[in-house]
């Protein structure tokens, strides 16, 4: 009988934490710095874990580091296990009304430049009230955030309201306005606004977001000639800055390029849309003093 079929010891948890760090660092070398232990010790721990489980977790060597199919599943289960342990610690601490433990929060990319700093203020307030709280931020796509909150790996997420899921509670945060942009090396940059029309835009290549979109966003992209896609807003900005594409960006993301004269909005009164962002938590989740404090601080920022 292998060890994980009987009980999970402190030593097992230590090895699982090493495994989690190796995966999140993308290999042994980076994990060596993060864990402050030798690469040899990491290798021994990983080999021990694979022996106990009875299968290989990752490929490592000159070709680089990658997880096997089994390794990916073990990583997901490890996150759930370690999150449950932190939840247990948080619940016990709540009996003493002490803020001590972890807040695991998932955030959609490119929100830090928003002028409304509600998340920043909320995290500052949480840290002031609980100096011993450890805040873990994961920058991941909205669907991964929703999944993480639903399965308990994340306590809270910050996502656009692309679809409303019945298992989540939504706490409205702010609206984000996006417009159609081109760079200063694009043919449209120097054209007078009166010479532009949506018909004109069809003659130019556009970049399309390769992630879920609301009907409003899809309607704005539909007339454009799509010849490129990007999985996030940073990728869209990269392509716009080539001078070969037009594309939609949130105003706060494009703001510094506009100030530098490197981008302009095209037909801003017509080519625009607004996205609502919310903080999400799992419905019916057990009481968690740290999460409750986070939500209290969030309410203060309104």
């Amino acid at each position: 009988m292998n060890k994980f079929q009987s009980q999970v010891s402190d030593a097992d948890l230590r090895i699982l934490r090493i495994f989690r760090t190796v995966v999140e660092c993308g290999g042994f070398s980076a994990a060596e710095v993060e864990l402050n232990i030798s690469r040899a010790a990491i290798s021994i721990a990983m080999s021990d874990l694979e022996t106990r489980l009875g299968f290989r977790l990752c490929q490592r060597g000159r070709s680089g580091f990658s997880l096997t199919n089994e390794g990916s599943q073990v990583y997901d289960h490890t996150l759930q296990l370690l999150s449950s342990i932190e939840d247990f610690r948080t619940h016990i601490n709540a009996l003493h009304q002490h803020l001590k433990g972890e807040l695991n929060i998932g955030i959609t990319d490119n929100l830090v430049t928003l002028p409304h700093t509600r998340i920043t203020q909320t995290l500052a307030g949480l840290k002031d009230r609980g100096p011993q709280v450890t805040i873990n931020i994961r920058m991941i796509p909205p669907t991964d955030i929703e999944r993480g909150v639903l399965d308990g790996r994340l306590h809270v997420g910050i996502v656009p309201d692309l679809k409303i899921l019945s298992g989540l509670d939504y706490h409205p945060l702010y609206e984000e306005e996006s417009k159609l942009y081109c760079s200063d090396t694009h043919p449209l940059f120097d054209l007078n606004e009166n010479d532009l029309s949506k018909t004109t835009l069809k003659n130019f290549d556009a970049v399309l977001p390769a992630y879920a979109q609301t009907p409003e966003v899809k309607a704005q992209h539909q007339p454009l000639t799509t010849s490129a896609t990007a999985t996030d807003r940073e990728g869209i900005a990269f392509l716009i800055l080539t001078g070969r594409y037009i594309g939609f960006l949130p105003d706060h993301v494009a703001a510094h390029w506009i100030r530098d004269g490197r981008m302009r909005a095209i037909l801003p009164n017509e080519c625009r849309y607004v996205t609502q962002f919310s903080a999400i938590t799992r419905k019916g989740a057990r009481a968690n003093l740290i999460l409750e404090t986070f939500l209290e601080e969030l309410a203060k920022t309104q």
Side-chain angles (χ1 to χ4, degrees), residues 69-142:
N69 289 334
E70 294 83 0
S72 294
Q73 294 181 57
V74 171
Y75 173 66
D76 287 339
H77 294 317
T78 297
L79 292 180
Q80 293 177 39
L81 172 62
L82 296 179
S83 177
S84 296
I85 292 171
E86 287 304 325
D87 280 347
F88 175 78
R89 182 195 299 175
T90 300
H91 298 322
I92 297 302
N93 287 330
L95 298 177
H96 302 285
Q97 292 298 296
H98 292 316
L99 284 174
K100 186 176 181 181
E102 295 188 356
L103 177 76
N104 298 320
I105 177 170
I107 304 179
T108 304
D109 71 299
N110 295 122
L111 292 183
V112 72
T113 51
L114 267 170
H116 310 294
T117 57
R118 293 188 62 191
I119 299 304
T120 302
Q121 294 173 16
T122 300
L123 292 174
L126 174 63
K127 190 62 176 175
D128 289 342
R129 292 176 62 178
Q132 297 185 68
V133 171
T134 299
I135 298 171
N136 301 312
I137 293 179
R138 299 190 68 195
M139 303 300 297
I140 50 180

Side-chain angles (χ1 to χ4, degrees), residues 61-62 70 113 117 122 159 162 187 216 220 239 243 248 256 271:
R62 292 182 179 179
E70 294 83 0
T113 51
T117 57
T122 300
V159 297
L162 302 177
E216 179 190 10
Q220 285 287 350
L239 288 170
F248 282 91
H256 74 278
C271 300

Side-chain angles (χ1 to χ4, degrees), residues 175-190:
E175 292 182 340
E176 175 190 76
E177 184 166 355
S178 296
K179 295 187 180 74
L180 185 64
Y181 288 95
C182 71
S183 79
D184 58 335
T185 57
H186 193 278
L188 292 175
F189 188 82
D190 293 320

